[in-house]
Amino acid sequence: MLRKFILVASVFATSLAYAMPSITFEEVDLPSLQTSAQSVVLFIDDAETLKGTAKQVDELTDGRLAQALTESEFSASLGATEVFFAMTPFSRITVIGTGTEPLNAPQLQDLGGYAAAALPTGAVGQPRLIADSLPTSVQLPQAYIAMGASLRDYHFDKYKKTESQTEPRRLVIHGAESESASALYNNDLRHVVEGVYLTRDMASEPGKSIYPQAFVEHVVDLFDDVRNVDIDVLDVRDMQKLNMGALLGVGKGSVHDSRLLVISYQGADKKQAPIALVGKGITFDTGGISLKSNNNMWQMKSDLAGAAAVAGTLLAIAKRGENVNVVGLMPLSENMPAQDAIRPGDVLTTMQGTTIEIISTDAEGRLILSDAVRYAQDKYAPRMLVNIATLTGSAARALSDEYAAVITRDWALSEKMMEIGNVSGEHVWPLPLHPNHFTQIKSDIADIKNSGAGNPGASIGAAVIGTFVDESLPWVHLDIAGVDWLSSSIPVAPAGSQGWGVRFMDQIVREYK
Ligand code: BES
Ligand code: MN
Ligand code: ZN
C-alpha cells in the first residue's frame, strides 16, 4: 500500500483557500474601549434596560444609544441586528439581540455569526465584541461566539482577481475569564472551524482540479504536521486485490483513477476499538451513462462533501488531541460517462462477495460506500460506524436545508443522534429503514440492485449500504444531500458549501469517546 510519502506538488493551492480571522480575547475594560474602539458590537437582551458594558457605552454616548434603540423599536430577539453610525465616541455601534432565554452553544455560535455578517468584511479596523451580561447556560460564551464568527467569515474567492479577494478579519472579544476563553477557542473550537473550512474548500473546489488523487494530496498536505495520525492510500491495484468491484466500477469511466484514502488517528490506547467515519467522495457526479440533466449539474462538484467532512472531522479531532481512536475512510471516484464506464444492467462484484446489478449509474454513492464500509469493518473492527454522503435527492426533498437525514437500525440511536444535532447545531431527522426496503433492492440476476422501484429513495439508498454493515454494529447513516449546499446564508455559514457534518461528527466523537 502506498504510504503518505508521495511528494507531488498539489494541483491546487494547498493552503486553505481563505485564512481564518484572527481573534483575540480581552477582559472588559471600558477605559481602553473608549480610547481605542471605533467599532463595538453589543449583545442585548432588553432594549429598555441596558446592562453591564452596554449601559456604560450608552452613558458615553450621552444616552443617544438608548434613544436610538427606542426610536428604531429594536426588539432584542435573537439575531435582531441594528447598526448605528457616528455616535461619538464610537464610529459604529452594532447591536445584536440575544432574546431572554439562556443561550446554548449553537445559539452563541449564531450570535457570533450575526456579528460577523453585520460587520464590514476584510481587515478594516478591529471591531470589539462585548460579551458580558449574556443570558447563557454555557461557560466561556465568548469562545463560542468566536467560533460562530469564524464559521460565518468564510469566503471561497481564490478564483477571483487578487484585488477582489477578502483579507482575514481581526476581532477582539471582551468578556470575563478571557484567558480561559482564549484557551478553549485556540486549543479546541478553532480546530473544529479549521475542519469546517477544509470541508468547504474541498466541496467548493471545481471538479477539474479536485479528482481522487488531488483530494488525497491536499489532505496529506494538511495533515503533514499533525500528530498520532497515519495515512494509507489504496490505489487501483490495492483495491483490485481486495475485489472492490463496486468502488472501482464507479471510477471506470474517468481518466482519473479511484482511490481509498484512510486516515487513522490514535489518541487512546491501541486496544480501544475505533469509531469509523466513512464519507462519500465522488469528486464529480455527472450521473455516468445515466447522465444527469444540465440543471444544476455544476453543484455535483460538491458530491465529495461526505468525504471532505470526514477529513475535516479527523483534522479537528487530531489537532485538538482528543483522547479517542478514530479511523476515517474516504472512497474517492469520479463518475463520468465514457466508453469504458459501467452501464445500466451491468453486474459488479463487491469485496463482500455480494453482487450488485446497476439499475442507474447515477446511484453511485452507495456503490463506493458498499466496498468502503465492508473494508472499514474487516480491517478496523470499529465499535461504531458512521457514514456520511450526499446520497439522494429524495432526502433533500424530504428535509430540505433544515435537517440531514439520519437512518439507523435502532430508534434509540436515532434519538441520540437528534440530541447530538441539538448540541452541535447541525440537526438531523430520522427516516425509516423497513424490511421492505431490503426486499425492494432484490435483483432478478444479481444479489441486489443499486436502486429500487419505490419512492422512499433515501431509505433504499440506506438499504443498499446496510447490506454491507453487520447487523450487530451500531451504524449511523447520514444523508446530507439537502444540507450540503446552501442557496442563501445561515448565521454560521455564507451561501455555498456549509461543510455540514464536521460539527456533528466531532460531537459524536466527544460523546462516544
Ligand atoms: N449525488 C447525487 C445525490 C444528490 C442530488 C446530491 C442532489 C445533492 C443534490 C446521487 O449520486 C444521485 O444521483 N442520486 C440519485 C439516485 C437515484 C438514481 C436512485 C437521486 O437521488 O436521484
Ligand atoms: Mn449520482
Ligand atoms: Zn452522487
Side-chain angles (χ1 to χ4, degrees):
M1 266 168 226
L2 279 171
R3 278 281 162 156
K4 64 186 268 189
F5 313 109
I6 349 157
L7 276 177
V8 190
S10 263
V11 274
F12 61 96
T14 50
S15 59
L16 289 171
Y18 176 70
M20 287 175 61
S22 95
I23 301 186
T24 48
F25 295 82
E26 290 179 17
E27 296 294 312
V28 191
D29 172 13
L30 200 64
S32 90
L33 271 181
Q34 207 177 331
T35 51
S36 62
Q38 293 292 305
S39 170
V40 290
V41 179
L42 305 173
F43 299 106
I44 283 179
D45 64 349
D46 178 5
E48 308 282 285
T49 10
L50 297 178
K51 301 184 187 72
T53 309
K55 187 170 173 217
Q56 293 171 301
V57 166
D58 178 48
E59 280 160 12
L60 288 170
T61 68
D62 293 329
R64 280 177 297 146
L65 174 62
Q67 198 187 342
L69 286 172
T70 312
E71 300 277 345
S72 63
E73 293 177 25
F74 185 73
S75 77
S77 62
L78 183 58
T81 302
E82 202 71 66
V83 185
F84 304 108
F85 296 98
M87 270 190 196
T88 322
F90 302 99
S91 62
R92 177 187 185 108
I93 304 179
T94 306
V95 181
I96 298 176
T98 62
T100 48
E101 297 299 312
L103 301 166
N104 60 20
Q107 288 169 322
L108 290 163
Q109 290 171 22
D110 281 359
L111 274 190
Y114 286 120
L119 291 167
T121 52
V124 204
Q126 200 172 30
R128 294 176 181 256
L129 284 61
I130 316 294
D132 65 348
S133 322
L134 278 172
T136 176
S137 54
V138 174
Q139 305 272 309
L140 308 170
Q142 319 91 294
Y144 295 92
I145 290 178
M147 180 182 183
S150 301
L151 284 169
R152 179 59 183 269
D153 192 37
Y154 173 85
H155 302 259
F156 189 79
D157 53 13
K158 62 184 271 200
Y159 289 108
K160 296 193 176 179
K161 289 202 286 300
T162 325
E163 315 84 84
S164 348
Q165 292 174 4
T166 315
E167 287 293 305
R169 287 187 227 241
R170 294 172 299 143
L171 302 174
V172 184
I173 309 192
H174 293 265
E177 297 180 75
S178 58
E179 263 180 40
S180 310
S182 173
L184 172 59
Y185 179 69
N186 285 307
N187 302 336
D188 183 336
L189 306 181
R190 187 169 63 91
H191 299 309
V192 180
V193 181
E194 279 174 51
V196 175
Y197 273 39
L198 182 171
T199 306
R200 290 176 182 170
D201 283 350
M202 302 281 225
S204 309
E205 188 68 33
K208 173 184 168 214
S209 46
I210 193 161
Y211 41 86
Q213 179 61 20
F215 184 109
V216 168
E217 283 165 22
H218 188 54
V219 169
V220 165
D221 234 57
L222 290 172
F223 278 80
D224 195 32
D225 55 351
V226 186
R227 284 160 35 149
N228 300 326
V229 168
D230 193 34
I231 299 187
D232 262 0
V233 185
L234 278 67
D235 64 10
V236 170
R237 282 161 65 96
D238 298 322
M239 292 190 278
Q240 278 167 343
K241 279 187 212 139
L242 292 160
N243 296 318
M244 293 184 170
L247 206 171
L248 288 170
V250 173
K252 274 193 66 184
S254 172
V255 293
H256 300 294
D257 283 344
S258 297
R259 296 281 184 270
L260 177 57
L261 170 63
V262 185
I263 308 175
S264 316
Y265 167 67
Q266 202 200 311
D269 192 286
K270 256 205 170 86
K271 277 181 268 168
Q272 186 201 70
I275 297 172
L277 309 176
V278 187
K280 168 178 172 181
I282 295 294
T283 60
F284 194 81
D285 182 12
T286 64
I289 297 297
S290 313
L291 194 64
K292 286 181 180 297
S293 76
N294 184 38
N295 275 349
N296 289 331
M297 197 208 271
W298 65 272
Q299 267 182 19
M300 288 301 121
K301 68 176 184 172
S302 78
D303 211 22
L304 48 57
V310 168
T313 307
L314 262 295
L315 189 74
I317 296 167
K319 281 205 168 180
R320 65 184 163 75
E322 187 71 86
N323 184 10
V324 67
N325 295 336
V326 181
V327 58
L329 296 101
M330 289 145 274
L332 302 162
S333 297
E334 187 182 38
N335 189 21
M336 295 295 258
Q339 58 189 2
D340 45 1
I342 51 167
R343 311 155 190 79
D346 281 358
V347 175
L348 306 177
T349 303
T350 60
M351 173 182 176
Q352 179 168 290
T354 307
T355 55
I356 309 181
E357 182 189 8
I358 305 305
I359 300 302
S360 169
T361 64
D362 198 11
E364 82 298 336
R366 60 201 73 183
L367 297 174
I368 64 170
L369 286 168
S370 294
D371 275 330
V373 297
R374 185 69 265 155
Y375 181 71
Q377 294 164 90
D378 291 1
K379 173 104 194 213
Y380 298 97
R383 61 192 157 98
M384 178 182 197
L385 189 149
V386 179
N387 72 256
I388 177 164
T390 45
L391 205 72
T392 66
S394 165
R397 283 189 295 278
L399 301 171
S400 188
D401 285 356
E402 281 78 30
Y403 297 97
V406 63
I407 296 180
T408 71
R409 287 191 168 108
D410 164 10
W411 182 248
L413 189 54
S414 290
E415 283 187 323
K416 180 77 189 151
M417 291 303 124
M418 283 193 275
E419 198 184 300
I420 282 175
N422 295 337
V423 177
S424 67
E426 293 187 322
H427 301 279
V428 297
W429 201 264
L431 290 178
L433 189 57
H434 190 275
N436 283 351
H437 301 145
F438 288 94
T439 313
Q440 282 188 44
I441 55 168
K442 289 219 160 96
S443 157
D444 291 337
I445 67 161
D447 297 321
I448 62 166
K449 53 188 178 185
N450 75 335
S451 109
N455 282 320
S459 298
I460 298 287
V464 172
I465 299 167
T467 303
F468 299 87
V469 180
D470 299 339
E471 285 195 26
S472 56
L473 180 66
W475 168 52
V476 176
H477 167 78
L478 299 167
D479 191 332
I480 59 168
V483 290
D484 158 52
W485 198 269
L486 294 170
S487 49
S488 53
S489 62
I490 58 171
V492 290
S497 163
Q498 69 160 314
W500 200 101
V502 175
R503 285 190 291 157
F504 186 87
M505 291 189 285
D506 177 73
Q507 192 61 35
I508 292 186
V509 169
R510 287 180 203 263
E511 299 203 12
Y512 283 86
K513 70 174 180 204

